[in-house]
Structure formats: structure tokens, C-alpha cells
Amino acid sequence: MEQHTLKVLEFEKIISKLQSQAACALGREVAGLSYPTTHLDVAVRKLQETSEARSILQYEGNIPFGGIEDVRHHVERASVEALLQPSDLLSILNTLHGTARLGHFMRKLREKYPILADLGAEIELFEPIERAISGSIAQSGDVLDSASAALARARSELRTTQSRLTEKMNSYLQSGSYKTIIQEPVITIRSDRYCIPIKSDHRGQFPGIVHDASASGATLFIEPAAVVELGNKRKQLVVKEREEVEKVLAALTACVAQDSTRILATLNVVGMIDAIAARAKLSLDQDATAPLLNDHGKIELLSARHPLLEGDVVPIDMTLGGDFNALLVTGPNTGGKTVALKTVGLLTLMAACGMHVPAEPGTRLAIFENVYADIGDEQSIEQSLSTFSSHLNNIVRITNGATRNTLVLMDEVGAGTDPAEGAALAKAIVDFLLERGARIIATTHYGELKEYAYMRDGVENASVEFDPVSLRPTYRLMIGIPGSSNAFAIASRLGLNTSIIDSAQNSIAGHEVASDELIRRIEESHKIAAEQRRAAERNARDAEILRKRYEQQLGGIESVKSRVESKTKQRAENIIEAYSRKLENTLEQLAAQKADSRRAQDLKKKAEKLIDQLEEQTVKRVEVKEQKEEKLDRDAVLEPGTIVGIAGVNQNGEIVEPPEGGKVVVLMGAMRVSVPLSSLRKPHGKAEHEVVPQKIQESISLVKAREFESEIHLRGMRVEPALIDLDKYIDDAMAAGVDSVRIVHGKGTGQMRQAVWEYLRSHKGVKSYRLGEQDEGGSGVTIAQIKR
């Protein structure tokens, strides 16, 4: 990307804003290196990173960068065996703690934010180094006694020696023999030796070594002779302690050096994540959105705002690269032409860096191989360059470098020379760049270029709107309409004598006046149409937002419904379970009583009442059960006119468009909705009834088993009534869950036995049957096995 372009578009100010959003020095450095890419896939990836980070900030909270410092210098020093100091190691410790927290935070978001989670997975853990440093150095920066056994011993001996030394020195201060010769009863340290201030006149009365004297010479600082050996030992122990501390620091430095490559790699990843988070924070600050990118020169700005302007900025709409590849913008000075030019250029550079742009969703921007800009007056007295010459130098560079995938921004093209020659040169430049396939936006005051834009294919007029009533520009950009001069209207509003204005109008050709009048009328019509279009677009965007929100909610309804059904079912089952426990308890008590006792009769009535309550709860559960939704058959025909149901929606709809991309458009009342094929159901019908719960069946079977008799007597009965009783008996046997029954039919003529056997042979609940054994009643009894 051309450096001149970055300068005139003030790209460095955007980078400065980006750096201010970084949380640590690592991120600020990476953000400062942001540069527009010329590769579409790289820009798309960076935009996805920014979008994920913005979503994390909005929905997951701040990304944790606390405690992280730029310790690369310390790590690099360790790698070349330079001894690290405790403060250096503490900075490394706190940073490694911070990177571990950051890595954990990013990895737990893998399902929602896979791109940043993958980046977070590159953050390595350094627990052995963290344990080693935290176990050796206190947060105050002191090396702990526990750092090594040798250090602990050295410090213990040093404390003992210092205690003895202090005790001995205090004995001198408290001695009456030296009271008159001591200048001041304090222990001082001179040249790292313990001394007592003695009056110089009494030097001979206090044996010891003089280490210092006061400025006046009245006081001598003397180390008593009796403590010299203790002082020497103390100094030796101080040196020993220092040596042990250095050994500890050397060991910790070696630990850092061993993993220096991995630590530096992790710090680089942290810097990248911080820079991405900075892009997301800038997006939130600017209320920006992710543009749709392409590499075929298509630009479509929707309510775009210049990112460096503060306050109430008027947004612009602009297109380029579709029906036309060159846009010529006209209008009065200070009307916003140059701002519009810079807005397009700066937003293009931001998107190429992976930044969101301050514009409405749906904005499209292109990734160009190069962006050229000739903006501003760069005349130079030192180089004897006029305004025209400086512009022409830029144009020479642009025309030499322009290609098909190039964006060219020219402010006041052809200005600074004779109007006729300047206009002709401007048209030739635009023609040349169009032939090269470049995308061009140029501002001009030349009226001839307005006509040129109408006549030349691939070129379109545009203008910045001006209000002749207030005499102020509105800063709105209008595509397809050339700007009028408004000179006469402005002069009239400011009170210039009408005769002067009339004379001026008469001095120019009549068709030029008519042309200006026509342009003004077109502008008014365009303004009305633009307002109506903007209102329609706002309504369309609002409707689209509502539609998307509806589709998102539709996707969640099914899971919500499932949870509600589950809770309702669980509540009903809890009630049924409670009644079942009461019933089982009652039946157990009933089994322990004599069949004909009063207590047994009471318990039997209670059991029957509980069965009725269980059945009542089952009926209630069936009544509150929602309609069952049936999925569509796999071979169901999905074509316009087909009536379908939608998961979680108590209303049928009609398919109005064939399926496409896994979705189908369904008309629900007056609303058209795009519905995933997986959410389609059969049209809603009547609810299905629920079968009696297994628990109730078991409870009823238990009651019948308690009351069931293991044999039935048919002797003396006629065949027809006997078979009716036998049919009910077999049903009760199946309900009671018994294995076999004894049917007493007697011997007689054998007619009753024959009828019983024919019945048992055809009954589906009878597994087998046989005559009774001798001890079971012989041929007068049939034993039947019941199916379970």
C-alpha cells in the first residue's frame, strides 16, 4: 500500500485510536503494526476475529489481560545467561499467571467462538516456572529463606551473629565507664561496621578501630576492639548470604531460559489476542459493523461515517464498481466532497486491516491491491512546486501504477491551471484510468465534467447537497445528480443588488442558466425520492431484523416446549408415584390381616379409593397433554401450496416457494417466514390419548393378585353360564399375573370338560392345559398355564 495514501487519509490516527484500546504493551505493539492486506481471505479472517471478540465483550464480559506485562526483554536476557533480579522474576511470574488465566478463558469459549479459542489454545502453561518463582521470591521482592537450605542456614547464622553483636554493642552504651566519653548513645554503621560515636578528645580511653570522623572532627566513629571478630564474622556471613541468593536467582534464571522460546511464543499470541480485542473495542466505540468484503472492486456504503469526525456526523450512501466504475462529485466548497472522498478511502483501509467500519449492516467494501490518493494542496516553495505541479506529480505516479484492482481518489482533479485545459486533462485522466480497469472517485468544480459524466459509459455524476435557504451544505452525497453552482441564489440571499445579479445572469449563455435551473429541480426531486427510499430501506431493515429474530426464537421454541412438557410430565408422575406408594403400603397392611377381619375390610375400601384417585390423576394428565407434533415423512412433497405445521407454533402455514439451501419459505397469516426443513411438521390435528401409565397397571394388578382365588368351580352349572364365568376368571388371572389356575368341572359325562377344553384351546391368554394329577383332583380338574 502506498505510504503517501496512508498519510493523506490520516491512517496513522486510526492506528493511534486502535492502540489506545489495547490492554497491555504487547497488544499496543501488534496494533501499531496493523497494515492493510491485499488478500481477501486474510481480511475476511481478521474481520471474523474482530466479530468474535466483539461478541465476547458484549455477551461474555471483558477479556482478562490483568497482570500481563511485556517481559520479553527479561526472557531474552535469561536466554543469554544474564542474571535476572527478583523484580524481573516477579514480573515474569505475574505475566505467566495472567497468560494462564487468559488461555483458560479463551479455551472455555471454544463452542461459541472457535477462531479465538484456537488462538487461545496456543497459549502454553508454565506451572513449574510459576511454582519455582513463587516458592522462592516474595511479592515484596525479597528472596525467601525457603528458596534453598543453604540460604536458610546462612541467614540463621547471620541473625545469631547480629544479635550477639548488637548485644555486645549495647553493653558499651550502658556501661558507666564510657558514659562521659560517648558523644551520643547510639549504634551507627560506618563502612558496614558497627561503631559507637566517641568524643575525639577521649580517643585513647576507648580501644578500637576508627572507621570515620564527623565533619567538625569532634566525633570519631570507633568499632570496639572486643567486637571486631564478631564484625568480621558478620561480614563473612553477609557475603555468604549474597552468594546463596545469587545461586537461587541463577537457578530461576536457568528455568526461564530453558523455556524462553515457548514463553516468547506465548507472549506473541497474547499480543495478537489483545490487538484483536482492541479492534473489537474500537468497533463498539464507533458503533461499527463488519462489512461484506469482495475482491472485484464493488463498494456500497450504507450510512457510512468518517471514523475520525466527532459529534453529529452526517452519514453518506455511495456505490461504485457496479453500474459504473468512476464517480465525479461536484458541489460547493466546504460541502463535504473531500470528507466523502476520505471516508471511502479510510473505510477501505480499515476493512483491509480487519477493522469494523462505522456504517450500517450490509455495507460492502473491496480489497484492492493498491489505493492511490491525491488529496489536498501540497505545493512546496522549497521545491518550486505550484498547486498544479504538486497535483500533477501525484497523477503521474497514479497513472503509472494503476491496475484493474486499484482504487483511485482524486480531489479537485485538473485544478490549478486554465479551466478549459484543466477540464480536458481531467477527462483524459479519467479515461486512461478507466481503460486500466481502476475504480475512480474524483471531485471537481468543472461544469464540463458534469456533461462528460452523462455522456461517458462507466462514469456517474454525484454531488454534495446544498440548502440555498440556509446557505449551508447538508453534507449528503447524492448519486446520479451533478451539483449546481448556487452562486446566484447565495448572492441573492446575502443581499447583493438584484441589478448586479441580473447583469451576471445575462452575461452568460441562456442555456447555461437553464441548465443550472434544471439541475436544481432534479436535486429537489432527487431529495424527495432519496428521503422516500431511505424510509423504505429503514422499514425493510426493521422488517428483516424482526424476521431474523422470529426465526431465531422459532428455533428455540421446540427446546423450550420440550423442557416444559418434561416438567409437567414429571410433576404428574410425582403425584402418581405418591398415590402408588400409599396404595402399596395399604396392600401390604391388607396382606397381613385376616381376610374376614374388620380391619381387612377397611383396608380393602381404602385400596379401592386409591385406585380411583390414581385413575383420576391419569385422566387429568391426558387432558393437559399438548398436541403431539409428527414430523413430515421423508418423501413428503414440499411445493408451493402444501400445508405444513411448524415446530412449536400452534398454527399451520402454506409453502409459497420451493425449498432452497435447507430452508423453505412459509406463509403464516400475513407473514412470510424462512423455516429450516428440520422444523417442518405435519399439519396440526387432534391430540392423541395417552395410555394408562405402567405404574397404575402394576398397582391394579397388585390389588387383583391380592383378591384372586387360584381355582374356579363350574360343577353343577350349565355350559353357557359356566363359560361366561370362566372367561372373566381367565381375564382376572391375566390381570393378577398368576402362572396357573385350577378349573374344577367335575367328571360326569365329560360334556363340561370338553367345553372347557375347547374354550381354553382358542383363548390367546392360555399357554397350555392338562388334566389334573391324582393329588390335584384327577380327571375332574383341568390345570391351565397362563401367559404373562
Side-chain angles (χ1 to χ4, degrees):
M1 198 65 63
E2 199 186 50
Q3 292 302 313
H4 178 267
T5 298
L6 301 180
K7 177 183 177 182
V8 298
L9 292 178
E10 301 177 290
F11 180 69
E12 74 282 354
K13 292 185 179 180
I14 290 294
I15 297 302
S16 178
K17 279 181 171 285
L18 180 63
Q19 288 181 298
S20 68
Q21 300 289 348
C24 64
L26 296 167
R28 281 190 291 275
E29 179 178 313
V30 176
L33 297 174
S34 297
Y35 197 77
T37 181
T38 58
H39 301 285
L40 178 62
D41 55 342
V42 174
V44 169
R45 172 80 175 190
K46 287 179 175 292
L47 278 179
Q48 290 172 340
E49 293 171 347
T50 305
S51 297
E52 281 197 358
R54 175 173 170 143
S55 295
I56 290 175
L57 293 175
Q58 287 180 300
Y59 306 117
E60 311 295 339
N62 289 329
I63 300 175
F65 291 101
I68 297 176
E69 304 175 35
D70 185 1
V71 295
R72 289 175 296 179
H73 177 63
H74 301 325
V75 177
E76 289 167 354
R77 287 182 59 241
S79 67
V80 295
E81 300 182 358
L83 188 67
L84 297 182
Q85 296 305 306
S87 59
D88 304 335
L89 292 164
L90 277 180
S91 295
I92 293 174
L93 173 64
N94 294 333
T95 296
L96 296 183
H97 279 332
T99 59
R101 282 193 302 271
L102 176 62
H104 174 72
F105 177 84
M106 301 306 298
R107 284 188 287 270
K108 74 178 182 180
L109 301 176
R110 176 172 297 279
E111 292 185 6
K112 293 183 180 179
Y113 312 103
I115 295 177
L116 289 185
D118 287 344
L119 199 55
E122 297 181 26
I123 297 177
E124 298 193 54
L125 300 178
F126 302 93
E127 293 177 353
I129 296 178
E130 293 178 49
R131 284 196 300 269
I133 296 176
S134 61
S136 301
I137 300 178
Q139 283 298 320
S140 61
D142 296 323
V143 178
L144 298 172
D145 292 358
S146 57
S148 75
L151 177 61
R153 287 193 301 271
R155 283 183 172 170
S156 177
E157 290 181 24
L158 179 60
R159 283 191 290 269
T160 300
T161 301
Q162 285 181 326
S163 177
R164 290 175 58 198
L165 183 59
T166 302
E167 183 180 351
K168 189 70 175 175
M169 295 292 287
N170 283 329
S171 68
Y172 280 99
L173 296 178
Q174 295 168 5
S175 172
S177 303
Y178 301 109
K179 187 174 183 180
T180 58
I181 67 174
I182 294 176
Q183 189 74 269
E184 187 178 357
V186 294
I187 300 172
T188 64
I189 296 178
R190 291 293 188 274
S191 301
D192 199 29
R193 308 292 291 198
Y194 282 39
C195 300
I196 294 175
I198 302 296
K199 296 175 183 178
S200 58
D201 296 340
H202 302 279
R203 166 68 184 86
Q205 300 177 29
F206 193 87
I209 302 172
V210 177
H211 289 285
D212 199 2
S214 66
S216 63
T219 303
L220 299 177
F221 298 95
I222 301 175
E223 179 183 16
V227 300
V228 170
E229 287 301 321
L230 280 176
N232 291 340
K233 184 177 181 180
R234 171 186 163 278
K235 289 201 69 172
Q236 292 171 356
L237 290 173
V238 167
V239 172
K240 178 66 174 176
E241 179 203 21
R242 186 180 303 117
E243 290 174 350
E244 294 302 329
V245 166
E246 288 181 355
K247 288 180 182 179
V248 170
L249 296 179
L252 295 176
T253 300
C255 286
V256 174
Q258 185 176 0
D259 282 331
S260 59
T261 301
R262 293 172 55 228
I263 294 174
L264 292 174
T266 290
L267 293 177
N268 287 337
V269 172
V270 170
M272 293 170 60
I273 295 176
D274 190 16
I276 293 170
R279 298 203 300 262
K281 293 174 185 175
L282 185 63
S283 172
L284 290 169
D285 281 356
Q286 295 183 338
D287 192 21
T289 59
L292 305 174
L293 299 183
N294 65 84
D295 57 0
H296 50 268
K298 173 69 174 178
I299 296 176
E300 184 178 0
L301 300 184
L302 303 176
S303 298
R305 307 177 304 280
H306 193 289
L308 296 178
L309 294 181
E310 304 291 341
D312 189 13
V313 180
V314 177
I316 64 169
D317 294 340
M318 197 215 70
T319 60
L320 184 69
D323 296 333
F324 51 88
N325 291 334
L327 192 65
L328 297 181
V329 185
T330 54
N333 288 330
T334 70
K337 299 191 302 298
T338 304
V339 170
L341 208 61
K342 288 186 174 182
T343 299
V344 177
L346 201 47
L347 266 55
T348 298
L349 298 179
M350 289 175 65
C353 291
M355 299 184 211
H356 288 180
V357 297
E360 291 294 320
T363 289
R364 298 177 184 275
L365 286 167
I367 299 299
F368 294 100
E369 289 181 3
N370 217 328
V371 177
Y372 291 103
D374 174 34
I375 299 174
D377 185 358
E378 299 181 58
Q379 60 180 320
S380 172
I381 296 175
E382 291 82 0
Q383 299 180 23
S384 301
L385 291 177
S386 65
T387 298
F388 178 73
S389 297
S390 66
H391 277 299
L392 201 56
N393 276 338
N394 292 333
I395 295 300
V396 170
R397 190 181 66 257
I398 291 171
T399 52
N400 288 337
T403 62
R404 177 170 297 278
N405 196 19
T406 297
L407 174 64
V408 177
L409 307 173
M410 296 181 291
D411 191 22
E412 301 296 347
V413 60
T417 187
D418 177 77
E421 294 180 356
L425 189 59
K427 288 188 284 186
I429 292 170
V430 173
D431 282 338
F432 179 86
L433 293 174
L434 283 174
E435 290 175 3
R436 289 287 186 96
R439 302 295 185 267
I440 310 153
I441 305 176
T443 67
T444 182
H445 281 293
Y446 294 140
E448 292 180 37
L449 293 182
K450 303 175 188 177
E451 300 174 5
Y452 164 77
Y454 276 126
M455 301 296 294
R456 179 67 159 86
D457 289 339
V459 183
E460 183 61 272
N461 269 308
S463 61
V464 287
E465 190 179 49
F466 186 85
D467 186 352
V469 177
S470 65
L471 303 180
R472 293 181 180 276
T474 65
Y475 303 107
R476 291 193 180 93
L477 185 66
M478 300 186 297
I479 306 297
I481 305 298
S484 59
S485 66
N486 293 297
F488 297 138
I490 294 172
S492 176
R493 290 286 298 172
L494 291 176
L496 186 63
N497 191 290
T498 55
S499 62
I500 298 175
I501 296 173
D502 291 340
S503 177
Q505 288 177 331
N506 291 331
S507 67
I508 63 174
H511 74 276
E512 293 184 13
V513 177
S515 176
D516 277 353
E517 180 62 26
L518 178 60
I519 289 174
R520 276 194 294 272
R521 292 181 182 178
I522 293 174
E523 285 180 352
E524 292 175 1
S525 300
H526 187 275
K527 186 188 299 184
I528 295 172
E531 288 294 340
Q532 292 174 344
R533 185 182 71 253
R534 280 193 289 268
E537 289 173 351
R538 281 195 299 271
N539 292 337
R541 283 196 295 268
D542 292 344
E544 179 66 13
I545 291 172
L546 290 174
R547 185 186 67 80
K548 288 183 178 179
R549 187 180 302 166
Y550 175 80
E551 290 178 0
Q552 291 173 353
Q553 291 176 347
L554 185 63
I557 283 176
E558 193 165 2
S559 61
V560 173
K561 178 185 174 186
S562 175
R563 290 197 298 271
V564 171
E565 285 181 346
S566 176
K567 289 181 179 180
T568 303
K569 180 179 178 181
Q570 186 61 46
R571 191 179 298 116
E573 288 180 349
N574 289 342
I575 295 174
I576 292 172
E577 181 68 24
Y579 280 121
S580 298
R581 284 196 297 269
K582 290 181 181 178
L583 177 58
E584 290 172 2
N585 185 45
T586 301
L587 292 174
E588 289 174 0
Q589 295 179 45
L590 178 60
Q593 302 293 324
K594 292 182 179 180
D596 56 350
S597 68
R598 183 181 182 88
R599 174 65 173 163
Q601 295 299 320
D602 292 341
L603 290 173
K604 183 177 180 182
K605 290 179 181 179
K606 183 178 179 181
E608 291 173 348
K609 182 178 180 181
L610 286 171
I611 291 174
D612 291 340
Q613 290 173 331
L614 277 169
E615 292 175 343
E616 180 182 353
Q617 289 299 324
T618 303
V619 171
K620 288 182 179 179
R621 181 178 171 188
V622 172
E623 288 175 351
V624 301
K625 183 175 175 67
E626 295 184 14
Q627 284 187 328
K628 182 179 179 182
E629 295 177 339
E630 296 184 11
K631 290 188 176 181
L632 284 174
D633 298 331
R634 291 191 175 184
D635 56 352
V637 177
L638 301 178
E639 59 185 10
T642 303
I643 304 300
V644 294
I646 298 178
V649 180
N650 191 24
Q651 180 181 351
N652 293 330
E654 178 184 346
I655 294 178
V656 294
E657 292 182 13
E660 183 177 354
K663 293 186 177 182
V664 65
V665 178
V666 178
L667 184 64
M668 303 284 293
M671 181 178 289
R672 292 163 63 92
V673 183
S674 179
V675 181
L677 294 177
S678 60
S679 296
L680 293 182
R681 299 290 184 267
K682 289 183 178 180
H684 297 296
K686 294 182 178 179
E688 295 184 1
H689 292 290
E690 184 176 299
V691 297
V692 177
Q694 181 68 22
K695 192 69 178 178
I696 297 177
Q697 293 182 3
E698 293 174 357
S699 299
I700 294 174
S701 297
L702 186 58
V703 173
K704 290 185 176 294
R706 299 290 189 187
E707 299 177 343
F708 184 75
E709 298 290 343
S710 61
E711 64 180 23
I712 182 173
H713 292 268
L714 303 179
R715 285 180 303 180
M717 298 179 65
R718 298 181 62 183
V719 172
E720 290 79 6
L723 292 181
I724 292 174
D725 286 355
L726 179 60
D727 184 66
K728 182 178 183 303
Y729 178 74
I730 295 297
D731 288 344
D732 289 344
M734 294 175 65
V738 299
D739 293 325
S740 63
V741 294
R742 183 169 179 267
I743 305 170
V744 181
H745 44 65
K747 299 177 181 179
T749 61
Q751 183 179 1
M752 178 64 75
R753 181 185 62 201
Q754 187 65 30
V756 167
W757 281 25
E758 288 179 2
Y759 169 80
L760 295 177
R761 188 181 301 115
S762 61
H763 199 292
K764 294 182 179 180
V766 177
K767 184 176 182 181
S768 62
Y769 57 89
R770 61 177 174 80
L771 282 176
E773 298 294 340
Q774 203 56 31
D775 58 346
E776 294 174 328
S779 60
V781 172
T782 294
I783 305 299
Q785 298 292 325
I786 306 300
K787 291 181 180 179
R788 279 188 173 274

